[in-house]
Each structure stands twice: as C-alpha cells, then as structure tokens.
Amino acid sequence: MKKGEPMSESYYYILLCLSKGPSHGYGIMSMTRELSGGEVRIGSGTMYGATGNLMKKGWIEEIFAQEPGEERRRLYRLTAEGREALLGEIERLKKMLAVAGEVMK
Amino acid sequence: MSRKHKTLFRAYFAWDYEQELEELDRLSRQGWQLVKGGCFHSRFVKNEGQRFRYQLDYRPEVEDMGRYLEIFREQGWEYVNSTYNGWRYFRKAYDPALPEEEYQIFTDRSSLGEMTRRLRKLALALMAAALLMAAVEGVLLVMKPRLPQLILTGTLLFEGLVMAWGAGFMDAPEKHRGKAKSGYVIWVFLLVLVLGFGSGIYLMEQRHSSGVMYLGGIGDGSVTVEHWGEFDIVYKDNYYLSAETSAQSPLILSIVQEETGETVYSRELGTAGELPYIALEDEQMKLERGSYRIYLSDYYGETVAVNWSIE
C-alpha cells in the first residue's frame, strides 16, 4: 500500500482507534469491534503484520508506558504522518461517497 | 494403563497447512492435545478435560518476538512452539459459545495473502534450486548418457515440479480448500527423493574403476599381448573409457569380457599421427554386468606408462 492508495480495513481501523490516543493491541482490537458494530475483527496474525507494517511506514510508533502498580506496557501511538495518512483516507472515502451520491440520485 | 503421550509422524506440504490444522482440531476433540508441533512429527499429551483450537503462522522472521507473542496472548492465544523453519503453533481453549472468527488469526485477505506469498516464495525458491540442478544434471546426461545421471535428473525434475505445483497452489489456495489429504503423502514424496538421490549416488559410485600400469624394458622387438588391467561392471549401462599413454609405435587397445571371451571394444592407437602421446577421452561403450580385462596388443616391448579409468 502506497500513500494515497486505498487502505485495508484493518489498517484504517488501527489508525482510527489510535487517533483517540495511544493504545495496546488488545485495546485496538476491542475498540475496532465496538466501532464497527462487531463487523470488523483484527486477529492476532493480522494485527502483528499490520502494526509492524504501519511502524515501518512511520505511521504509528511503539512506546512503553510505566504506570504505577502496573507492568511496563507496550502501547502504539499515531504519528503526525499517520494522522495525515488517516485524514487522507477519510477524504478519499468522503469523495467516493459524494460521487456515489451524485450518481445514484 | 492407557498411554499419556504419543508422537505422530504426520507431515504436510507447507501449502497444506490447513489440513494440518483440521487434523489438530480432530485430535484435540479426541483428547490428544498438541505439546510440540513439528514439520515431520508432533507430540501430543492425553487430556480429555479440555479442547483446543489451533492456528499456524508461517513467519520465518519475527522482528520482535516479545511484541509478536504479546499480540497473540492478548487475544487468548497460547504459544505452543515454533519449528526450525518458521512455523509457529498457537492454541486457544475451545468455547462453543464463541464465534468461529475468534479462532482465526488472519482476519483479512491482505494479511493472509502476506503469509501465502511467503509460502509461495519458499516454494518458488525450492523450485528454482531443483530445476537449476536438474538442468545441470540434464546437460551432463546429454553429454554422457548413463543410468544414474538419468535417475538424478528425473528426481530433481520431479522435486521441481512438485514445488511448482505448490507455488501454483499458493496462488489460489481457496480453490484447493476442502480436499482431504493424508498426513502421509509428504512421506511418499520424501521417499521418492531419498530413493532417487540415494540410488543415483549409489549407482554412480559403483561405476568407477581405474588403474596405472608401467610396462617395458624388454624391447626385443617381438609382438606381444599384455594384460593391462581388469574391472568389474555391476550393472548394464553406458560406460566411458579414458586412457593416456605415451608410445613410440602403434598399439591396439581391447577390452574383453572374461566370461564370454568376447571383445567388446577395440581401438588402434597411434596410427593417425598421434604418437608419441596418446589419449582416449570418454570413449562410450555399452557394457553388460560382468568382469572385463583390458589388453594391449601389437606391443613392441618399449617402455610405456598407462593410466586408464572407466566411469
């Protein structure tokens, strides 16, 4: 997937979930399920591959949070570039919807 | 007392990994729980109190093992083990109330595609290696037709074609889904390879005979026949004679089968201006199983050294 190309649903939801703030893998998974009304699930294999690829692109990054009384936790955070990519995708989807609205009127 | 452990020697082609998962699920229902998955054998322990569902991830390179296992753990997957070549086994306790998607680790086409592409790449690499070697062996076969070379070329070709079939399989895995295959098919494939390579190499080793002989010093001018050497042929095939000598006068080199006394090869040397150095290279002849002798006739008693070999 290059910049400006349609995103897979998993990538889209991961970025969308992280736009609310850093989260761990499980958080992303349950939030995705919630946001999509149970329609989209991100399995572990898909999650590992997608987060790995998004990190390689520099759209998300790994941070470690040390909360009192808790273990060191691995969190994912949206980067500025990632936010830009997400907004670009939302724009693309909006345009597609608008076009559909025109045509199907 | 009933058995508590068992080892199954079932194996699958990489592209048949879904068959393996079905088999693991079936065994789990019967109370056999996987402890260690392997490419050629897997260990199970008896535990009828629980049932698991299994998933396999083919990922030879995991950049961050801690992160990898964490993501599986978070969703209730227990890591079982990895094989040496990058297959990773996971299991999850089975709960009939959970939807089927809970037991899938790949939930979209593109991530599953990434895995099948890795498998395809593997199959293509093995195919390329086998076909390249088959091409080299094939050239040698054309240059020197002989049985072990034919067996080696054929075996490599077979291996390459099976890998090509596997790579094609990975192009459209859904087309092949649901076709039940035995966990022992791969053993037949491996047996063919072992028999092919084994017999090819073994037969190749059986072919070689060679010798060195020094003659001479008598030099009285009388024509004699000298026995140069002997060799045994274990199986009927094409054989290739090479010999080197230096001589001052023409000679006749003959090969005679001991049992029948039949001359199977004879060649006059040194009549075409080749003296004093004569070399025969890869003279092809068809030989039956048996013992053979090499003779040098019309030998004038001069000093000659002879090196010969049969392959």
Side-chain angles (χ1 to χ4, degrees), chain B residues 198-221:
Chain B
S199 63
I201 290 166
Y202 176 76
L203 290 177
M204 207 54 119
E205 304 253 298
Q206 299 299 304
R207 323 174 40 97
H208 190 82
S209 320
S210 62
V212 185
M213 193 177 175
Y214 297 94
L215 290 173
I218 318 157
D220 60 355

PDB file of all heavy atoms in Angstrom, chain B residues 198-221:
ATOM      1  N   GLY B 198      19.459 -41.342  -3.490  1.00  0.00           N
ATOM      2  CA  GLY B 198      20.246 -42.442  -2.921  1.00  0.00           C
ATOM      3  C   GLY B 198      20.708 -43.406  -4.003  1.00  0.00           C
ATOM      4  O   GLY B 198      21.898 -43.715  -4.120  1.00  0.00           O
ATOM      5  N   SER B 199      19.759 -43.872  -4.853  1.00  0.00           N
ATOM      6  CA  SER B 199      20.143 -44.865  -5.861  1.00  0.00           C
ATOM      7  C   SER B 199      21.042 -44.210  -6.907  1.00  0.00           C
ATOM      8  O   SER B 199      21.994 -44.825  -7.381  1.00  0.00           O
ATOM      9  CB  SER B 199      18.903 -45.485  -6.502  1.00  0.00           C
ATOM     10  OG  SER B 199      18.169 -44.484  -7.176  1.00  0.00           O
ATOM     11  N   GLY B 200      20.762 -42.950  -7.244  1.00  0.00           N
ATOM     12  CA  GLY B 200      21.593 -42.251  -8.225  1.00  0.00           C
ATOM     13  C   GLY B 200      23.036 -42.171  -7.765  1.00  0.00           C
ATOM     14  O   GLY B 200      23.967 -42.511  -8.502  1.00  0.00           O
ATOM     15  N   ILE B 201      23.211 -41.750  -6.502  1.00  0.00           N
ATOM     16  CA  ILE B 201      24.571 -41.598  -5.973  1.00  0.00           C
ATOM     17  C   ILE B 201      25.237 -42.964  -5.814  1.00  0.00           C
ATOM     18  O   ILE B 201      26.400 -43.167  -6.165  1.00  0.00           O
ATOM     19  CB  ILE B 201      24.539 -40.810  -4.648  1.00  0.00           C
ATOM     20  CG1 ILE B 201      24.161 -39.350  -4.947  1.00  0.00           C
ATOM     21  CG2 ILE B 201      25.876 -40.883  -3.917  1.00  0.00           C
ATOM     22  CD1 ILE B 201      23.760 -38.542  -3.748  1.00  0.00           C
ATOM     23  N   TYR B 202      24.437 -43.939  -5.324  1.00  0.00           N
ATOM     24  CA  TYR B 202      24.985 -45.288  -5.120  1.00  0.00           C
ATOM     25  C   TYR B 202      25.456 -45.897  -6.447  1.00  0.00           C
ATOM     26  O   TYR B 202      26.578 -46.397  -6.558  1.00  0.00           O
ATOM     27  CB  TYR B 202      23.937 -46.184  -4.463  1.00  0.00           C
ATOM     28  CG  TYR B 202      24.385 -47.610  -4.298  1.00  0.00           C
ATOM     29  CD1 TYR B 202      25.293 -47.958  -3.291  1.00  0.00           C
ATOM     30  CD2 TYR B 202      23.928 -48.605  -5.158  1.00  0.00           C
ATOM     31  CE1 TYR B 202      25.730 -49.260  -3.160  1.00  0.00           C
ATOM     32  CE2 TYR B 202      24.370 -49.919  -5.028  1.00  0.00           C
ATOM     33  CZ  TYR B 202      25.268 -50.235  -4.028  1.00  0.00           C
ATOM     34  OH  TYR B 202      25.708 -51.523  -3.896  1.00  0.00           O
ATOM     35  N   LEU B 203      24.590 -45.802  -7.463  1.00  0.00           N
ATOM     36  CA  LEU B 203      24.945 -46.374  -8.770  1.00  0.00           C
ATOM     37  C   LEU B 203      26.142 -45.648  -9.379  1.00  0.00           C
ATOM     38  O   LEU B 203      26.969 -46.252 -10.047  1.00  0.00           O
ATOM     39  CB  LEU B 203      23.745 -46.318  -9.722  1.00  0.00           C
ATOM     40  CG  LEU B 203      22.597 -47.259  -9.379  1.00  0.00           C
ATOM     41  CD1 LEU B 203      21.433 -47.064 -10.335  1.00  0.00           C
ATOM     42  CD2 LEU B 203      23.054 -48.720  -9.404  1.00  0.00           C
ATOM     43  N   MET B 204      26.231 -44.338  -9.122  1.00  0.00           N
ATOM     44  CA  MET B 204      27.352 -43.560  -9.628  1.00  0.00           C
ATOM     45  C   MET B 204      28.662 -44.060  -9.007  1.00  0.00           C
ATOM     46  O   MET B 204      29.683 -44.162  -9.683  1.00  0.00           O
ATOM     47  CB  MET B 204      27.104 -42.089  -9.282  1.00  0.00           C
ATOM     48  CG  MET B 204      27.753 -41.094 -10.196  1.00  0.00           C
ATOM     49  SD  MET B 204      27.355 -41.324 -11.928  1.00  0.00           S
ATOM     50  CE  MET B 204      26.569 -39.798 -12.313  1.00  0.00           C
ATOM     51  N   GLU B 205      28.596 -44.388  -7.719  1.00  0.00           N
ATOM     52  CA  GLU B 205      29.797 -44.832  -7.007  1.00  0.00           C
ATOM     53  C   GLU B 205      30.266 -46.209  -7.491  1.00  0.00           C
ATOM     54  O   GLU B 205      31.442 -46.531  -7.378  1.00  0.00           O
ATOM     55  CB  GLU B 205      29.508 -44.954  -5.504  1.00  0.00           C
ATOM     56  CG  GLU B 205      28.986 -43.679  -4.896  1.00  0.00           C
ATOM     57  CD  GLU B 205      30.011 -43.005  -4.032  1.00  0.00           C
ATOM     58  OE1 GLU B 205      30.412 -43.643  -3.045  1.00  0.00           O
ATOM     59  OE2 GLU B 205      30.406 -41.872  -4.350  1.00  0.00           O
ATOM     60  N   GLN B 206      29.329 -47.006  -7.993  1.00  0.00           N
ATOM     61  CA  GLN B 206      29.645 -48.373  -8.406  1.00  0.00           C
ATOM     62  C   GLN B 206      30.391 -48.423  -9.740  1.00  0.00           C
ATOM     63  O   GLN B 206      30.832 -49.470 -10.151  1.00  0.00           O
ATOM     64  CB  GLN B 206      28.351 -49.192  -8.569  1.00  0.00           C
ATOM     65  CG  GLN B 206      27.531 -49.325  -7.320  1.00  0.00           C
ATOM     66  CD  GLN B 206      28.291 -50.036  -6.232  1.00  0.00           C
ATOM     67  OE1 GLN B 206      28.763 -51.139  -6.420  1.00  0.00           O
ATOM     68  NE2 GLN B 206      28.421 -49.389  -5.091  1.00  0.00           N
ATOM     69  N   ARG B 207      30.431 -47.291 -10.436  1.00  0.00           N
ATOM     70  CA  ARG B 207      30.877 -47.333 -11.817  1.00  0.00           C
ATOM     71  C   ARG B 207      32.376 -47.164 -12.001  1.00  0.00           C
ATOM     72  O   ARG B 207      32.884 -47.466 -13.059  1.00  0.00           O
ATOM     73  CB  ARG B 207      30.239 -46.224 -12.655  1.00  0.00           C
ATOM     74  CG  ARG B 207      28.853 -45.895 -12.345  1.00  0.00           C
ATOM     75  CD  ARG B 207      28.365 -44.715 -13.110  1.00  0.00           C
ATOM     76  NE  ARG B 207      28.819 -44.686 -14.461  1.00  0.00           N
ATOM     77  CZ  ARG B 207      28.120 -45.112 -15.502  1.00  0.00           C
ATOM     78  NH1 ARG B 207      26.918 -45.594 -15.323  1.00  0.00           N
ATOM     79  NH2 ARG B 207      28.618 -45.035 -16.711  1.00  0.00           N
ATOM     80  N   HIS B 208      33.015 -46.618 -11.006  1.00  0.00           N
ATOM     81  CA  HIS B 208      34.371 -46.155 -11.261  1.00  0.00           C
ATOM     82  C   HIS B 208      35.436 -47.246 -11.058  1.00  0.00           C
ATOM     83  O   HIS B 208      35.484 -47.877 -10.018  1.00  0.00           O
ATOM     84  CB  HIS B 208      34.669 -44.969 -10.355  1.00  0.00           C
ATOM     85  CG  HIS B 208      35.955 -44.286 -10.720  1.00  0.00           C
ATOM     86  ND1 HIS B 208      36.028 -43.371 -11.741  1.00  0.00           N
ATOM     87  CD2 HIS B 208      37.205 -44.418 -10.227  1.00  0.00           C
ATOM     88  CE1 HIS B 208      37.273 -42.962 -11.857  1.00  0.00           C
ATOM     89  NE2 HIS B 208      38.014 -43.579 -10.943  1.00  0.00           N
ATOM     90  N   SER B 209      36.251 -47.473 -12.071  1.00  0.00           N
ATOM     91  CA  SER B 209      37.431 -48.334 -11.932  1.00  0.00           C
ATOM     92  C   SER B 209      38.572 -47.611 -12.601  1.00  0.00           C
ATOM     93  O   SER B 209      38.374 -46.917 -13.590  1.00  0.00           O
ATOM     94  CB  SER B 209      37.271 -49.665 -12.645  1.00  0.00           C
ATOM     95  OG  SER B 209      36.001 -50.179 -12.504  1.00  0.00           O
ATOM     96  N   SER B 210      39.749 -47.775 -12.066  1.00  0.00           N
ATOM     97  CA  SER B 210      40.883 -47.152 -12.742  1.00  0.00           C
ATOM     98  C   SER B 210      42.167 -47.891 -12.379  1.00  0.00           C
ATOM     99  O   SER B 210      42.192 -48.713 -11.465  1.00  0.00           O
ATOM    100  CB  SER B 210      40.994 -45.683 -12.338  1.00  0.00           C
ATOM    101  OG  SER B 210      41.221 -45.596 -10.951  1.00  0.00           O
ATOM    102  N   GLY B 211      43.202 -47.634 -13.120  1.00  0.00           N
ATOM    103  CA  GLY B 211      44.477 -48.285 -12.838  1.00  0.00           C
ATOM    104  C   GLY B 211      45.626 -47.566 -13.516  1.00  0.00           C
ATOM    105  O   GLY B 211      45.431 -46.737 -14.401  1.00  0.00           O
ATOM    106  N   VAL B 212      46.802 -47.875 -13.049  1.00  0.00           N
ATOM    107  CA  VAL B 212      48.021 -47.333 -13.659  1.00  0.00           C
ATOM    108  C   VAL B 212      48.925 -48.519 -13.890  1.00  0.00           C
ATOM    109  O   VAL B 212      48.982 -49.425 -13.070  1.00  0.00           O
ATOM    110  CB  VAL B 212      48.744 -46.361 -12.701  1.00  0.00           C
ATOM    111  CG1 VAL B 212      49.926 -45.713 -13.391  1.00  0.00           C
ATOM    112  CG2 VAL B 212      47.794 -45.317 -12.160  1.00  0.00           C
ATOM    113  N   MET B 213      49.585 -48.544 -15.023  1.00  0.00           N
ATOM    114  CA  MET B 213      50.493 -49.659 -15.245  1.00  0.00           C
ATOM    115  C   MET B 213      51.724 -49.202 -16.007  1.00  0.00           C
ATOM    116  O   MET B 213      51.628 -48.400 -16.924  1.00  0.00           O
ATOM    117  CB  MET B 213      49.787 -50.749 -16.039  1.00  0.00           C
ATOM    118  CG  MET B 213      50.595 -52.024 -16.008  1.00  0.00           C
ATOM    119  SD  MET B 213      49.739 -53.327 -16.851  1.00  0.00           S
ATOM    120  CE  MET B 213      50.989 -54.594 -16.777  1.00  0.00           C
ATOM    121  N   TYR B 214      52.843 -49.721 -15.587  1.00  0.00           N
ATOM    122  CA  TYR B 214      54.101 -49.433 -16.282  1.00  0.00           C
ATOM    123  C   TYR B 214      54.549 -50.701 -16.953  1.00  0.00           C
ATOM    124  O   TYR B 214      54.488 -51.778 -16.381  1.00  0.00           O
ATOM    125  CB  TYR B 214      55.170 -48.978 -15.286  1.00  0.00           C
ATOM    126  CG  TYR B 214      54.796 -47.707 -14.604  1.00  0.00           C
ATOM    127  CD1 TYR B 214      54.161 -47.736 -13.377  1.00  0.00           C
ATOM    128  CD2 TYR B 214      55.077 -46.476 -15.198  1.00  0.00           C
ATOM    129  CE1 TYR B 214      53.779 -46.569 -12.746  1.00  0.00           C
ATOM    130  CE2 TYR B 214      54.709 -45.304 -14.578  1.00  0.00           C
ATOM    131  CZ  TYR B 214      54.067 -45.348 -13.348  1.00  0.00           C
ATOM    132  OH  TYR B 214      53.706 -44.196 -12.748  1.00  0.00           O
ATOM    133  N   LEU B 215      54.955 -50.587 -18.175  1.00  0.00           N
ATOM    134  CA  LEU B 215      55.465 -51.744 -18.903  1.00  0.00           C
ATOM    135  C   LEU B 215      56.797 -51.360 -19.506  1.00  0.00           C
ATOM    136  O   LEU B 215      57.063 -50.180 -19.725  1.00  0.00           O
ATOM    137  CB  LEU B 215      54.533 -52.077 -20.073  1.00  0.00           C
ATOM    138  CG  LEU B 215      53.164 -52.635 -19.775  1.00  0.00           C
ATOM    139  CD1 LEU B 215      52.395 -52.717 -21.083  1.00  0.00           C
ATOM    140  CD2 LEU B 215      53.260 -53.981 -19.113  1.00  0.00           C
ATOM    141  N   GLY B 216      57.561 -52.365 -19.826  1.00  0.00           N
ATOM    142  CA  GLY B 216      58.695 -52.037 -20.662  1.00  0.00           C
ATOM    143  C   GLY B 216      60.028 -52.543 -20.205  1.00  0.00           C
ATOM    144  O   GLY B 216      60.161 -53.271 -19.222  1.00  0.00           O
ATOM    145  N   GLY B 217      60.997 -52.193 -20.982  1.00  0.00           N
ATOM    146  CA  GLY B 217      62.361 -52.572 -20.673  1.00  0.00           C
ATOM    147  C   GLY B 217      62.834 -53.793 -21.420  1.00  0.00           C
ATOM    148  O   GLY B 217      64.022 -54.020 -21.560  1.00  0.00           O
ATOM    149  N   ILE B 218      61.867 -54.609 -21.972  1.00  0.00           N
ATOM    150  CA  ILE B 218      62.296 -55.837 -22.644  1.00  0.00           C
ATOM    151  C   ILE B 218      62.855 -55.474 -24.023  1.00  0.00           C
ATOM    152  O   ILE B 218      63.999 -55.756 -24.346  1.00  0.00           O
ATOM    153  CB  ILE B 218      61.130 -56.836 -22.801  1.00  0.00           C
ATOM    154  CG1 ILE B 218      60.298 -56.856 -21.503  1.00  0.00           C
ATOM    155  CG2 ILE B 218      61.648 -58.227 -23.122  1.00  0.00           C
ATOM    156  CD1 ILE B 218      58.882 -57.337 -21.683  1.00  0.00           C
ATOM    157  N   GLY B 219      62.005 -54.826 -24.794  1.00  0.00           N
ATOM    158  CA  GLY B 219      62.444 -54.218 -26.043  1.00  0.00           C
ATOM    159  C   GLY B 219      63.141 -55.132 -27.040  1.00  0.00           C
ATOM    160  O   GLY B 219      64.070 -54.734 -27.708  1.00  0.00           O
ATOM    161  N   ASP B 220      62.684 -56.409 -27.175  1.00  0.00           N
ATOM    162  CA  ASP B 220      63.348 -57.301 -28.126  1.00  0.00           C
ATOM    163  C   ASP B 220      62.672 -57.293 -29.492  1.00  0.00           C
ATOM    164  O   ASP B 220      62.989 -58.070 -30.379  1.00  0.00           O
ATOM    165  CB  ASP B 220      63.395 -58.733 -27.576  1.00  0.00           C
ATOM    166  CG  ASP B 220      62.012 -59.289 -27.319  1.00  0.00           C
ATOM    167  OD1 ASP B 220      61.015 -58.509 -27.481  1.00  0.00           O
ATOM    168  OD2 ASP B 220      61.885 -60.465 -26.963  1.00  0.00           O
ATOM    169  N   GLY B 221      61.660 -56.432 -29.666  1.00  0.00           N
ATOM    170  CA  GLY B 221      61.048 -56.294 -30.975  1.00  0.00           C
ATOM    171  C   GLY B 221      59.954 -57.294 -31.273  1.00  0.00           C
ATOM    172  O   GLY B 221      59.287 -57.180 -32.295  1.00  0.00           O
TER     173      GLY B 221
END
